[in-house]
Amino acid sequence: MTLADAIHSLALSGCRLTAGPDGGIALEVPPGATVAREVLDALRVHRDQLAPVVEPAPRGGDLAEYLEAKRVSTRAAELVLHAVEKFDVRHDRITFELDEPAGPTPEFFEPGIPCLTTIETEWFQAGEGYFTLPAGTLALAIPQTWAIADADERIGIESMLESFRRHRKPPHVPVWIAGKARALEATSITFEGAVAPDGMNLIPWRPQQPEAYTP
């Protein structure tokens, strides 16, 4: 019997070769399986040829350590270990590869877009009265009005924009200016030359700290 015939016979019977404790080879035979004498004789004859190519049987803790090193979650690791034991999978045949994302992870909240006022504007602030902002004041156009955290400001801006649209007023843009969300005519702002300074909060309408959840 050739070595190829012997290995084919082992595969059919569910047996497998592993490295022996003495550096040679060992034969793992599942319960109920039988190995023909001719197969054993062929393995014995080719013992020196097989020893260098038979991989060592993994230690019991190797797979768990490998999963931990790959930062596989506890629950997922338990499922892998269960499958390995259930289906008799070789530990050293299991690898984990993570696909790198094609691009940066998208942000849920879009940052504000720097813009400048083109005209002098006058505003009223409760508790402070009227104040004037000169032309060229830096503001942030708000791309997502629904993301405004303050409910009163959000409802107020959305109501104003809807009212302007319904009454066919000139297009207005929601902006963050002077510490508050406001609506400005599109013609009263420009994006040309508007640059946010380093460290500027580009989403000031969102809370800086996560809000506590109370069930």
Side-chain angles (χ1 to χ4, degrees), residues 151-168:
D152 291 337
E153 285 192 1
R154 181 176 66 253
I155 294 172
I157 287 293
E158 291 176 342
S159 297
M160 281 191 290
L161 294 176
E162 176 59 24
S163 176
F164 294 148
R165 185 194 64 79
R166 189 169 57 251
H167 291 90
R168 298 183 179 180

Side-chain angles (χ1 to χ4, degrees), residues 43-199:
L43 295 178
R44 187 176 300 107
V45 171
H46 297 283
R47 178 189 181 93
D48 294 338
Q49 182 182 350
L50 288 170
V53 298
V54 174
E55 298 181 11
R59 299 186 304 274
D62 285 352
L63 181 57
E65 294 171 3
Y66 176 76
L67 296 176
E68 183 179 358
K70 289 294 183 179
R71 296 183 180 179
V72 178
S73 66
T74 302
R75 180 57 181 160
E78 289 175 353
L79 291 175
V80 172
L81 293 171
H82 173 73
V84 166
E85 181 179 355
K86 183 72 174 178
F87 300 106
D88 197 23
V89 180
R90 290 194 57 150
H91 298 191
D92 53 351
R93 295 305 186 197
I94 298 175
T95 59
F96 283 84
E97 296 182 3
L98 298 178
D99 294 330
E100 293 296 331
T105 303
E107 295 291 341
F108 187 74
F109 297 113
E110 294 183 15
I113 306 169
C115 58
L116 299 171
T117 57
T118 58
I119 60 174
E120 185 179 274
T121 56
E122 187 176 74
W123 300 96
F124 177 81
Q125 185 74 34
E128 298 180 11
Y130 288 93
F131 62 96
T132 301
L133 293 176
T137 298
L138 180 65
L140 289 173
I142 303 175
Q144 303 165 317
T145 54
W146 56 264
I148 299 173
D150 186 281
D152 291 337
E153 285 192 1
R154 181 176 66 253
I155 294 172
I157 287 293
E158 291 176 342
S159 297
M160 281 191 290
L161 294 176
E162 176 59 24
S163 176
F164 294 148
R165 185 194 64 79
R166 189 169 57 251
H167 291 90
R168 298 183 179 180
K169 298 290 186 181
H172 280 64
V173 178
V175 300
W176 184 268
I177 188 170
K180 187 176 178 63
R182 309 174 192 270
L184 290 177
E185 281 193 30
T187 56
S188 67
I189 63 172
T190 179
F191 297 96
E192 185 176 355
V195 178
D198 291 340

